[in-house]
Amino acid sequence: MSGGEVAGILVAVFWAILVSFLAVVLVRLAQVLKATTKLVADVTEQAVPLLADASTTVRSARTQLDRVDAIASDVQEVTSNASALSSTVASTFGGPLVKVAAFGYGVRKALGKSTEAAPQRESRRTVIVGRTVPAARRRKQKG
């Protein structure tokens, strides 16, 4: 055997080892790709229903928000109507009620003066700064 033949055999053995190593790497890579494909298929199988449920939930939330918005606008309208009604009632009945109250006060005052002129049947007492004054003394103080 000559040096060229030994070198050729060494190169052939080297290439055989390299090809064997590459074959093992490719087999392992094929297994990893197969496992990855299976994993992606499983995730897709589970993700599609989850996405459908999420889409349904988002649609339902949007519907509920639309309802809440409608309720809020109705409440705002009712509040403005109540405010307008309150101001209308105040302007409509406020003036006449003040006049009726003033008239009633005047009538009470007028009737009160006429009853003061009449003799009092019962003895009344007036409280002045924490003490009671008899009716006779009170008349003297007013007089």
Side-chain angles (χ1 to χ4, degrees):
M1 280 196 174
S2 68
E5 291 176 4
V6 174
I9 291 176
L10 283 175
V11 170
V13 168
F14 173 74
W15 279 107
I17 292 172
L18 183 63
V19 168
S20 298
F21 178 74
L22 287 176
V24 169
V25 168
L26 287 176
V27 167
R28 296 255 171 114
L29 183 62
Q31 290 173 348
V32 168
L33 286 176
K34 191 183 296 182
T36 304
T37 304
K38 184 176 186 293
L39 180 66
V40 168
D42 289 345
V43 167
T44 303
E45 183 179 311
Q46 292 176 1
V48 169
L50 287 176
L51 289 175
D53 289 346
S55 176
T56 303
T57 303
V58 167
R59 272 192 236 111
S60 174
R62 188 181 323 142
T63 303
Q64 295 299 326
L65 285 175
D66 289 343
R67 288 180 184 169
V68 168
D69 187 37
I71 289 170
S73 65
D74 289 346
V75 166
Q76 183 178 9
E77 184 178 340
V78 166
T79 303
S80 64
N81 288 344
S83 175
L85 179 63
S86 172
S87 63
T88 301
V89 166
S91 66
T92 302
F93 296 114
L97 284 178
V98 168
K99 291 176 184 175
V100 167
F103 178 75
Y105 179 75
V107 168
R108 277 195 312 268
K109 278 296 203 180
L111 290 178
K113 287 184 180 180
S114 68
T115 58
E116 283 182 9
Q120 295 181 350
R121 285 187 244 159
E122 58 185 60
S123 174
R124 290 180 146 180
R125 295 179 177 238
T126 304
V127 176
I128 299 177
V129 191
R131 56 184 193 157
T132 305
V133 178
R137 277 184 61 197
R138 188 174 61 233
R139 282 189 216 113
K140 288 180 186 176
Q141 287 175 354
K142 286 184 183 177

